[in-house]
Amino acid sequence: LNCHRTLCLTLKQHRSVWPRFMSAATTKLFINGKFVESHATDWIDVHNPATNEVVTRVPKSTQAEMEKAVEAAKEAFKSWSKTSILTRQQLMFRLQNIIKANMKRLADSITTEQGKTTPDAEGDVLRGLQVVEHCCSVTSLQLGETLPSISKDMDLHSYRVPLGVCAGITPFNFPAMIPLWMFPAAIVCGNTYVMKPSERDPGAAMILMELLKEAGCPDGVVNVIHGQHEAVNFICDHPDIRAISFVGSDQAGKYIYERGSRNGKRVQSNMGAKNHGVIMPDANKENTLNQLIGAAFGAAGQRCMALSTAVFVGEAKQWLPDLIERSKKLKVNAGHEPEADLGPVISPAAKQKICELIQSGVDEGAQLLLDGRNIKVPKYEKGNFVGPTVLTNVTPAMRCYKEEIFGPVLVTMCVDTLDDAIQIINQNPYGNGTAIFTTNGATARKFTQEIDVGQIGVNVPIPVPLPMFSFTGSRGSFMGDSNFYGKAGLNFYTQWKTVTQLWREGDVSHSRAAVAMPV
Ligand code: NAD
């Protein structure tokens, strides 16, 4: 067993019904550098989505435990904020190394709790690791500004300082990457942290805590609490928490943004999406169809940057039969099976919602060209599997277009011109990502200029920026001022301090007080 899990031999009160002879490992809290068993009375079962077997039980942290976590972070801030920037940079170097060495362990945990395939789970870790690598450049990123001799013998310095205790609330779909978007950027700037991972797959975040400890991070610098709404409300309301990073659904994101902001906190909130891929008839057909299929069905469509809507322009619509044939070839299986292209979705409830949205499309007049609802996966009959599904003749008024499906479902539309495609996308409330497939530079340029979406791919289906840039989803997909990671991420976790200083040689005394505004 891992440090963050213990096998309970006595049954505690929790909401599922357990066979008497069985119990599952509990997930611990991480407070002040120690993995501690919660005293919670309410627990949440985490299931392997491929089998629906219980993997672990996650506590709904008690008020006292959450208070202890903030207290530990507050105490640690006193010394951590004063450590040299080189010390914090060294921690990132070590963390980077240790995460790399533990890639397989992290990926296995992700596949077990979240369901994605092993290569995709490794990608989840790698994309987070890149943020840690970027944090290693903190000595350049956190440079301030100086203007000497702003007046006679007077100099101005502006530099960034940490905020204090910050908090992160993460979704289920990237159990390693999204925690790694948050706490490394915060602590490298000198903040301390309280993390609330998704209650549906907290394992990877807990392994990251083990690795952080092994890397030499002082006690209390990062702490982990578990739970759902009460933990979220605690974070939004606690007077000692200065900033909140949230990634997840619209409903939770808007709520946390509003509640946190109302309490005077800095909040960045990345939310849902409906990403469109525009297929021009001049695109490279082979490449485009493969890219589209990978981006629509990879991770069983549970990526906020999945291309869930394809807009075929003009004659490109002739490629639909080919798209279906290729999609049928994808292998649906448990994520750890070597040939799996896509694994299960997170829960039976998620599967039910996905199936309902597919049916709503059919009921509203769309055509179901490929139906993955009744897929059977041998050996994993109890898993939450949905096979690749393609709906066509979808219109913007349909529910399957308006709502985020978050499953392996590609809705397709056919339009006459690029202008029509741009109009549809710009009218959609979300602005997370979009892509165009074309061999014409002028078409690509027009698209990138006229489209009102924060992250654009040109012949790139999932344009998630590398961390020297930032994750710049916009409109309905983001609330806040500073985006995640990159320069914006460091801005989020720091505030400016500006010092005006006068050092004059000789006699500086004045004969009388100057009462006019100094200029
Ligand atoms: P979710 O909103 O259900 O959960 C996210 C976090 O919020 C969890 O820690 C959860 O405990 C908490 N939470 C859930 N409901 C809440 C509520 N009503 N009030 C307060 N807190 C609540 O999201 P999810 O299902 O875990 O993740 C999938 C969603 O996340 C999708 O909509 C996806 O598009 C989005 N997402 C967005 C990005 C992005 O960068 N834009 C990245 C990944 C995922």
Side-chain angles (χ1 to χ4, degrees):
L1 281 174
N2 306 312
C3 308
H4 64 270
R5 296 249 159 104
T6 41
L7 188 65
C8 289
L9 296 175
T10 52
L11 281 183
K12 286 190 183 158
Q13 185 193 345
H14 59 96
R15 64 182 165 82
S16 76
V17 178
W18 288 71
R20 265 160 208 250
F21 52 88
M22 260 179 68
S23 193
T26 54
T27 295
K28 295 185 184 177
L29 307 165
F30 185 60
I31 299 177
N32 206 17
K34 290 180 189 58
F35 291 96
V36 289
E37 191 73 64
S38 172
H39 292 105
T41 50
D42 216 354
W43 294 72
I44 304 158
D45 291 344
V46 172
H47 299 90
N48 179 334
T51 60
N52 271 309
E53 279 162 8
V54 177
V55 178
T56 182
R57 297 161 57 220
V58 183
K60 288 191 185 170
S61 310
T62 66
Q63 195 70 20
E65 288 162 351
M66 297 192 284
E67 287 288 354
K68 267 191 192 154
V70 176
E71 205 41 56
K74 199 176 163 189
E75 191 55 35
F77 182 74
K78 291 179 191 161
S79 48
W80 182 245
S81 57
K82 294 197 187 103
T83 51
S84 77
I85 198 155
L86 295 183
T87 303
R88 302 200 298 264
Q89 182 190 39
Q90 287 298 325
L91 175 67
M92 290 297 130
F93 284 133
R94 290 193 299 273
L95 182 64
Q96 189 264 1
N97 248 309
I98 295 174
I99 291 175
K100 254 189 183 166
N102 284 273
M103 179 74 75
K104 188 172 174 340
R105 188 174 163 220
L106 282 159
D108 285 348
S109 158
I110 294 171
T111 300
T112 305
E113 294 185 1
Q114 199 275 351
K116 61 178 75 173
T117 65
T118 301
D120 201 32
E122 283 172 4
D124 188 326
V125 182
L126 260 171
R127 291 307 299 253
L129 183 65
Q130 288 170 335
V131 175
V132 178
E133 286 169 351
H134 186 246
C135 288
C136 293
S137 347
V138 65
T139 41
S140 310
L141 293 168
Q142 218 181 323
L143 282 178
E145 293 168 357
T146 296
L147 198 53
S149 302
I150 192 86
S151 177
K152 185 168 174 358
D153 300 327
M154 187 182 283
D155 309 316
L156 257 172
H157 308 285
S158 223
Y159 50 94
R160 292 156 195 235
V161 294
L163 303 171
V165 180
C166 303
I169 302 167
T170 64
F172 80 85
N173 66 329
F174 281 99
M177 180 183 83
I178 293 180
L180 287 170
W181 282 7
M182 296 179 180
F183 75 82
I187 68 172
V188 84
C189 298
N191 300 285
T192 55
Y193 219 70
V194 175
M195 187 83 191
K196 193 210 81 64
S198 170
E199 67 280 15
R200 297 197 261 182
D201 49 16
M206 297 313 290
I207 296 173
L208 288 172
M209 292 306 107
E210 283 184 32
L211 306 183
L212 187 65
K213 196 170 160 70
E214 195 182 325
C217 184
D219 293 349
V221 170
V222 183
N223 305 272
V224 178
I225 59 172
H226 297 293
Q228 287 171 318
H229 300 75
E230 279 174 36
V232 166
N233 287 344
F234 172 87
I235 288 172
C236 291
D237 295 346
H238 200 292
D240 289 329
I241 293 177
R242 297 285 311 275
I244 306 172
S245 294
F246 169 82
V247 178
S249 64
D250 294 354
Q251 196 196 5
K254 282 183 191 147
Y255 174 80
I256 290 166
Y257 186 84
E258 282 160 17
R259 189 161 175 153
S261 305
R262 208 166 44 239
N263 286 326
K265 299 179 200 316
R266 202 177 263 202
V267 187
Q268 53 178 187
S269 190
N270 265 13
M271 298 174 292
K274 199 80 182 177
N275 308 307
H276 301 68
V278 175
I279 300 102
M280 299 302 292
D282 62 25
N284 174 316
K285 181 180 168 188
E286 181 76 15
N287 182 46
T288 301
L289 291 181
N290 287 338
Q291 300 267 44
L292 191 55
I293 289 168
F297 304 128
Q302 299 174 114
R303 289 182 185 135
C304 66
M305 287 291 277
L307 272 188
S308 54
T309 306
V311 187
F312 290 90
V313 178
E315 289 310 300
K317 62 174 176 271
Q318 307 296 346
W319 301 353
L320 266 165
D322 213 346
L323 175 87
I324 302 300
E325 285 318 304
R326 286 166 196 241
S327 305
K328 279 183 189 163
K329 292 192 181 123
L330 293 179
K331 298 215 169 57
V332 182
N333 210 333
H336 64 273
E337 295 287 356
E339 79 285 10
D341 290 313
L342 53 144
V345 297
I346 187 72
S347 64
K351 176 173 174 168
Q352 192 186 344
K353 184 187 159 207
I354 293 163
C355 293
E356 271 170 25
L357 282 167
I358 296 169
Q359 189 57 40
S360 76
V362 175
D363 295 344
E364 290 178 283
Q367 211 185 334
L368 190 55
L369 295 182
L370 184 61
D371 185 358
R373 286 178 293 180
N374 297 316
I375 191 160
K376 296 272 177 291
V377 178
K379 294 202 295 178
Y380 301 98
E381 286 78 8
K382 292 193 177 148
N384 317 316
F385 293 96
V386 182
T389 299
V390 181
L391 283 158
T392 193
N393 292 333
V394 171
T395 67
M398 293 180 185
R399 250 188 88 201
C400 67
Y401 175 77
K402 288 194 286 194
E403 292 181 30
E404 186 183 32
I405 302 178
F406 224 55
V409 182
L410 180 64
V411 304
T412 67
M413 299 168 140
C414 300
V415 298
D416 293 332
T417 64
L418 176 62
D419 285 314
D420 296 335
I422 291 173
Q423 194 184 5
I424 288 175
I425 300 170
N426 285 351
Q427 278 173 0
N428 188 287
Y430 291 112
N432 215 35
T434 187
I436 187 165
F437 299 93
T438 180
T439 49
N440 184 319
T443 301
R445 188 168 190 282
K446 173 183 165 74
F447 183 76
T448 53
Q449 212 160 38
E450 294 183 14
I451 210 76
D452 190 6
V453 172
Q455 303 178 105
I456 306 167
V458 176
N459 299 317
V460 173
I462 304 189
V464 176
L466 283 165
M468 52 296 286
F469 295 87
S470 299
F471 190 98
T472 54
S474 63
R475 294 198 284 136
S477 300
F478 177 67
M479 284 175 95
D481 179 43
S482 293
N483 292 109
F484 279 84
Y485 64 75
K487 286 183 197 140
L490 266 85
N491 267 338
F492 181 78
Y493 284 121
T494 51
Q495 58 195 341
W496 286 96
K497 199 175 236 188
T498 306
V499 179
T500 306
Q501 48 188 347
L502 175 79
W503 291 110
R504 186 165 291 161
E505 281 183 312
D507 182 13
V508 292
S509 56
H510 295 271
S511 53
R512 63 187 300 260
V515 288
M517 181 68 189
V519 289

